[in-house]
Amino acid sequence: MDTIASFFSFITTPVSWVIVQFHTVYGAIFGPDTGWAWGLSIVSLVILIRICLIPLFVKQIKATRAMQTLQPEMKKIQERYKNDKQRQSEEMMKLYKESGTNPLSSCLPILAQSPFFFALYHVLNGIASGKTIGVINTSLLESARKAHIFGAPLAAKFKDSADTIAAMHASVTDVRVVTAIMIILMSASQFYTQRQLMTKNVDTTVKTPFMQQQKMLMYVFPIMFAVFGINFPVGVLVYWLTTNVWTMGQQMYVIRNNPNPGSKAQASYLERLTKHVTHHGKVRRRSERTIVKAIVAKGRDRNEAERKFINALSKAGLAAQADGSVVKSEAQAVAETEDGTAVTTAPARRQQPKRQSKAQRHQSGTKTSDGETATTSLEKSDEPQDAKPAAAKQPQKSGSGTRSKAQSGQSKGGPQRPKSPSKK
C-alpha cells in the first residue's frame, strides 16, 4: 500500500493543503487538537472531491443509459449465438465498439478519486510515522497525533502493535473496536449501494455480461474493503466511509428520480408520475417532461410499465405529446353540471350490428304503423295482378318492405285494407 501511495505523491501537497484549510475553520470551533476538527476536515475533503466529480457522475449515468438502449441488440446476439459463448462475447464487444459505450463506465467515479484516496493515505501514514509531509509542519503534525476519533488516534491502524498505539496515547482495544466497526460499515454501505443498483435499476428481462459484471462487483468490492481495511489508518476509514455514504445517497436520488428503462424503479416512478399528472393535469418538472418525451418517442417499443403509463393517461382523458407535455385528450367529453362542476364522461363505444344469415336477409321482420309485425315474402299475393304492377317493378331495399306492403295494402296473415272507391 505504501508503494502504491508513493506513485501519487505529486498530489499529496494539494490534499494536505485542503485538509489544513478545513482544520483551521473547525479548529476554531472545536479546538485544534480534537478529533472533531481533524475528522470533519477529512469529511469536508470528501464532500469537496465528490462535488467536483459530479460531471463525471453525470457522464456515468449517460453511459449507463446507452448500455440500456443496447439491451434489445444484446438479447438478439444471445439468442443467435446461445450455443457459442466465444462468438457471443466477440459480437458483444463489437457492439460496444460500434455504439461507443463502455461496460466499465460504472467504475469511473472510483477510478477518478483513487489518486485523492492514496494521497490521503500517504499523508496519514506520514502522521503515524511522525514525519512532516506536504504543508503539514511540525506543530500540525503534533496536533494530528493527539487527535482521537472515539478513542482511536487518527493515524492508528487495526494491525498496529500495542507499543505503536501506546505511543499515540491510546489502547489497543479502543483502536480495534473502532476500526472494526468502521470496516463493517464501509463494506456494508458498499454492498447495499451495489445491490440497490442491481435489484432496482437494472432491466432484469435481459441477461447480459454487463449485469454479470455488476453482480460480481456487488460481492467483490465489500470483500476488498474488508481485507484492505485492516491496513487503513482511522483517517482513511473515515474518508472511505464518507464517500460510500455519499455514493449511496446520490444513487438513491438518481434511482428514484431518473431510473433506467425496464427496471423496477421505473415502474414505481411511473406510478407516482401517473398520480401526479392525473391530479394536476400537466407535467411540472423538466426531468419529468424529458422522461415523458422519451416514452412517447419509443412508440410500439415501449415496455410494460410505459404502456401502463400511457393507458392510464388515456383513461384520465389526457394524452402525452411529443415534446413531453400532457394535454387533455380530444376523445374525452367534458360536461358541466348546474353548479358549475366539471363531469368527465367517456365517449360511448359504437356497437357493431350483428351479422345476419342468408335466410334472415331474405326474410326480415318489420313493424307497421299499428305496432304489428309484418314480414316480406317472395310468395305471390292473392291480389289481382293489375293491383301491383308498379310495386313489383321497383327494387326492394332493406327496410323498405313495410313501405311497399303498405302501398299495396298487402299484409301476410292480417286483414286486407279496403280499397278506396275509384272515381268515375
Side-chain angles (χ1 to χ4, degrees), residues 100-336:
T101 56
N102 186 3
L104 300 176
S105 59
S106 60
C107 301
L108 288 178
I110 296 176
L111 296 175
Q113 64 178 328
S114 296
F116 302 96
F117 168 77
F118 288 111
L120 178 64
Y121 178 87
H122 195 47
V123 171
L124 295 175
N125 192 46
I127 293 173
S129 304
K131 299 177 181 179
T132 58
I133 186 169
V135 298
I136 298 179
N137 52 30
T138 306
S139 61
L140 290 173
L141 178 63
E142 292 298 327
S143 175
R145 289 177 65 86
K146 294 177 183 178
H148 290 66
I149 298 176
F150 300 107
L154 195 68
K157 304 175 186 177
F158 182 87
K159 295 178 66 176
D160 282 346
S161 62
D163 295 336
T164 304
I165 295 175
M168 290 184 267
H169 308 286
S171 65
V172 177
T173 304
D174 292 340
V175 170
R176 292 187 177 177
V177 169
V178 171
T179 52
I181 292 175
M182 295 183 73
I183 290 171
I184 292 173
L185 292 176
M186 185 176 62
S187 301
S189 60
Q190 179 66 36
F191 177 79
Y192 179 79
T193 301
Q194 201 67 27
R195 186 177 182 275
Q196 182 180 229
L197 179 67
M198 287 296 301
T199 57
K200 294 184 178 180
N201 206 34
V202 173
D203 188 358
T204 56
T205 60
V206 182
K207 304 294 183 182
T208 62
F210 173 73
M211 293 181 60
Q212 297 298 327
Q213 172 201 358
Q214 295 295 325
K215 187 176 181 180
M216 180 184 65
L217 293 177
M218 181 173 65
Y219 295 99
V220 170
F221 276 157
I223 295 175
M224 288 176 57
F225 285 127
V227 172
F228 291 115
I230 59 177
N231 295 314
F232 291 164
V234 173
V236 173
L237 294 178
V238 172
Y239 174 92
W240 207 248
L241 178 60
T242 305
T243 193
N244 281 358
V245 172
W246 177 282
T247 303
M248 182 173 61
Q250 188 173 246
Q251 184 172 277
M252 289 176 65
Y253 176 81
V254 172
I255 290 176
R256 178 176 175 82
N257 296 282
N258 194 14
N260 284 336
S263 62
K264 294 181 180 179
Q266 189 201 31
S268 301
Y269 175 82
L270 291 179
E271 288 180 4
R272 297 193 305 269
L273 184 59
T274 301
K275 295 179 181 178
H276 171 77
V277 173
T278 53
H279 178 71
H280 296 283
K282 61 180 180 179
V283 179
R284 291 185 173 183
R285 300 178 182 176
R286 184 178 179 181
S287 59
E288 295 175 350
R289 188 184 295 268
T290 302
I291 291 177
V292 174
K293 181 180 179 180
I295 293 174
V296 174
K298 286 185 177 181
R300 295 183 178 181
D301 295 332
R302 302 185 187 106
N303 54 46
E304 183 179 356
E306 293 167 346
R307 287 194 295 268
K308 287 182 179 180
F309 172 71
I310 296 297
N311 293 336
L313 292 183
S314 299
K315 291 180 181 179
L318 301 172
Q321 303 300 305
D323 61 349
S325 61
V326 174
V327 298
K328 291 185 178 180
S329 176
E330 296 179 356
Q332 194 78 3
V334 179
E336 290 189 358

Side-chain angles (χ1 to χ4, degrees), residues 21-32 34 36-38 40-41 44:
Q21 300 307 312
F22 282 120
H23 175 263
T24 303
V25 176
Y26 293 121
I29 301 173
F30 302 101
T34 59
W36 285 103
W38 286 100
L40 290 176
S41 299
S44 300

